[in-house]
Amino acid sequence: MTYSEIEWRAMGRAKELALLGPRGINPQVGAVVLSPTGEVLSEGWHRGAGNPHAEIEALSHLSPADAHGATMVVTLEPCNHTGRTGPCAVALLEAGVSRVVYAVADPAERSSGGAERLRSHGVNVESGVRADEVTEMLDSWLTVVRLGRPFVTVKWAQSLDGRAAANDGTSKWITGPDARADVHRRRAAADAIVVGTGTVLADDPALTARLADGRLAESQPLPVVIGNRPVPRDAVLRKHPRGVLEARTQNLHQVLDDLRERGVQSVFVEGGPTLASAFVSAGLADRVLTYVAPVLLGGEKTAIGDIGVSTMAEARRLTLTGIERLGDDLLLITEPARISSDERTD
């Protein structure tokens, strides 16, 4: 990898610019144009779907003479496809840019290939500059591209013996205040929070993310209710600051496809045993958060129901990626186990 200290610093600035853009169906991208002597000529960032990409935005502030022979420093590989805007790789060639430095390759099949196109036309291209930092910034979007849908976290709270409620249906509160505060922090970090109509009718939840003092967090997830029954007009959820999205279907793939089109990158499933089981059974749980309280309830109200496992050979194996103590409770963070080729039986 060959790049200058000036280009390394410019990539740091491009990352800062990228964060000015909105999170959504398109990635956050920032760009800095440098003169042949390393002077910053212009800057740009992507301002959302339908707007010019970061590279085009940066070029728009330059005269043709200044752009010719310049270096484009950009957080994501210039795109190579025509969507609402034209290919950035072509725009850079037409502007006469002589060098392109980017951090992360575009993983999307329809838009990748910009670097190869630029190189084939004689542009000096350098990749991987501050790649770890930019990858972390783009983590949600990169995951959505890889999965083809939003990243799904399924959460439940349970007693030590695996119950989500007492036999009379009461469940407030299985876990203590530290665990509940952790849930609210994670809600605030998600783009959408998903429950079933059964939970709405039984518990009348607010589904807001709140601070320790009860005030609403600055960032609120979009509440999504899955099921054929409507949310009552007088439900507390109707007062949510983001409104409420009612998904009148049992098709979870369809729900996630719709959420992706709305720019949702992360989904927090908090809808009770029925919905949690449905996501796990469908293979749509990318992370499972299990809050375990040192309390015994017994009875039939298990934290998770039928997930299509009838024998140990069909057990859904998870990998434990983290354990956190939250007051008297434990949080177990797990993800689907990756089966190596020598463990497969098919």
Side-chain angles (χ1 to χ4, degrees), residues 132-150:
D132 289 346
E133 298 172 42
V134 176
T135 297
E136 183 178 0
M137 179 190 73
L138 290 174
D139 180 60
S140 292
W141 179 79
L142 291 169
T143 299
V144 169
V145 172
R146 175 174 57 84
L147 294 174
R149 58 166 176 78

Side-chain angles (χ1 to χ4, degrees), residues 55 90 186 257:
E55 302 96 313
V90 172
R186 294 178 186 274
D257 286 344

Side-chain angles (χ1 to χ4, degrees), residues 26 45 101 111 124 127 130 134 150 161-162 174 203 255 268 339:
N26 290 330
W45 67 91
V101 177
S111 56
N124 186 318
S127 64
R130 301 183 82 144
V134 176
D161 54 346
I174 290 177
D203 299 339
V255 172
F268 196 65
I339 301 175

Side-chain angles (χ1 to χ4, degrees), residues 171-190:
S171 60
K172 295 183 179 179
W173 296 103
I174 290 177
T175 54
D178 290 348
R180 298 199 296 274
D182 186 74
V183 169
H184 281 281
R185 286 193 293 271
R186 294 178 186 274
R187 282 184 182 182

Side-chain angles (χ1 to χ4, degrees), residues 16-73:
E16 293 176 356
L17 293 167
L19 292 172
L20 297 176
R23 275 170 50 99
I25 193 169
N26 290 330
Q28 294 171 295
V29 182
V32 175
V33 181
L34 300 175
S35 72
T37 58
E39 177 189 0
V40 174
L41 297 177
S42 67
E43 300 177 338
W45 67 91
H46 184 48
R47 300 170 188 265
N51 289 290
H53 288 187
E55 302 96 313
I56 310 305
E57 171 73 12
L59 287 174
S60 70
H61 304 303
L62 296 178
S63 68
D66 286 336
H68 192 82
T71 294
M72 175 67 69
V73 178

Side-chain angles (χ1 to χ4, degrees), residues 186-202:
R186 294 178 186 274
R187 282 184 182 182
D191 295 327
I193 181 169
V194 177
V195 299
T197 51
T199 294
V200 173
L201 295 173

